[in-house]
Amino acid sequence: MSESTGASRPVKVIVADDQAAVREPQAAVLSLAQDIDVVATAANGNEVLAAVAADPVDVVLMDLRMPVMDGTAATRRLSEAHPGVAVVVLTTFAEADSIMAALSAGARGYLTKNAGRQDITRAIRADAAGQSVLDREVQDRLLAAVRTKQPASQEPLPADLTPREREVLTLIGQGLPNRAIAERLFISEATVKTHINNLFAKADIRDRADAVRRAIDAGLA
């Protein structure tokens, strides 16, 4: 049975992976979801950029290690030229440097290729809605990396953060995704997203990796 979110139109997706044996089956499986429309596939970053320029999409499911232009460079270019396109990284590489580079380039989600179909489709839907999704292994690697680094200077959190915003930052620092934060605080994911947007703006936080670092610096995680 096809999955559906009840959305008025399907989420338009590009699947990017340099291996056809991975790319084509992944596209076929995602197409089984009623609310996901795989409009193109790409074998490298240049093909991703060309496909998005020809037919704007909602999400790119992006491998990192590709020839011609890799996934991190393509993500950065997309963030600059097409900020409305969300990137979900799907890769075998879960090293902290790869994670941080992709998130800093603008990726909104990061999954390893151990992720199942439901995890991937859930991440695509969440990222299309403006949420961030990191799988458990990625969260653990990111937290471990941030905690072992000594920051050059600690930035104090703004005094005008609300208690709820501090709670949300604490849970981000613990590696929880938006859904888990919502469940922990008994609020909706939409409300979590609002709190994240507000605290990111107030504290000048760039991305989720930066939020983890700031939470640790502040002693919240």
Side-chain angles (χ1 to χ4, degrees), residues 48-117:
V48 170
L49 296 174
V52 172
D55 183 9
V57 298
D58 301 300
V59 178
V60 176
L61 188 64
M62 184 87 75
D63 187 24
L64 288 185
R65 306 293 170 89
M66 297 185 292
V68 185
M69 180 188 294
D70 67 25
T72 301
T75 297
R76 185 174 295 107
R77 293 276 297 275
L78 280 174
S79 296
E80 294 167 353
H82 304 279
V85 177
V87 172
V88 178
V89 171
L90 181 64
T91 181
T92 56
F93 302 96
E95 299 92 344
D97 288 346
S98 296
I99 298 167
M100 290 183 176
L103 295 178
S104 295
R108 199 175 288 165
Y110 198 113
L111 305 175
T112 68
K113 288 185 177 177
N114 292 326
R117 179 173 66 90

Side-chain angles (χ1 to χ4, degrees), residues 19 27 45 49 91 105 112 122 137 141-144 181 188 206 217-218:
Q19 298 183 50
L49 296 174
T91 181
T112 68
R122 187 180 303 121
E137 180 182 359
R141 294 286 184 92
L142 185 58
L143 286 170
I181 293 173
S188 70
R206 298 184 304 276
D217 285 354

Side-chain angles (χ1 to χ4, degrees), residues 18-179:
D18 64 322
Q19 298 183 50
V22 174
R23 182 176 68 245
E24 300 306 331
Q26 186 67 260
V29 168
L30 289 176
S31 295
L32 295 175
Q34 205 169 52
D35 59 342
I36 292 177
D37 181 14
V38 178
V39 298
T41 61
N44 58 63
N46 278 352
E47 291 185 7
V48 170
L49 296 174
V52 172
D55 183 9
V57 298
D58 301 300
V59 178
V60 176
L61 188 64
M62 184 87 75
D63 187 24
L64 288 185
R65 306 293 170 89
M66 297 185 292
V68 185
M69 180 188 294
D70 67 25
T72 301
T75 297
R76 185 174 295 107
R77 293 276 297 275
L78 280 174
S79 296
E80 294 167 353
H82 304 279
V85 177
V87 172
V88 178
V89 171
L90 181 64
T91 181
T92 56
F93 302 96
E95 299 92 344
D97 288 346
S98 296
I99 298 167
M100 290 183 176
L103 295 178
S104 295
R108 199 175 288 165
Y110 198 113
L111 305 175
T112 68
K113 288 185 177 177
N114 292 326
R117 179 173 66 90
Q118 290 186 342
D119 296 324
I120 296 170
T121 54
R122 187 180 303 121
I124 287 172
R125 293 171 185 134
D127 281 34
Q131 302 170 18
S132 296
V133 176
L134 307 177
D135 72 16
R136 186 77 249 177
E137 180 182 359
V138 169
Q139 293 169 27
D140 291 344
R141 294 286 184 92
L142 185 58
L143 286 170
V146 173
R147 285 179 173 138
T148 57
K149 292 185 177 180
Q150 294 297 322
S153 61
Q154 294 192 356
E155 305 164 65
L157 293 175
D160 61 343
L161 283 188
T162 66
R164 181 63 92 189
E165 288 163 359
R166 291 179 70 89
E167 281 184 299
V168 170
L169 182 58
T170 297
L171 296 175
I172 291 175
Q174 293 173 3
L176 272 65
N178 288 3
R179 173 177 293 188

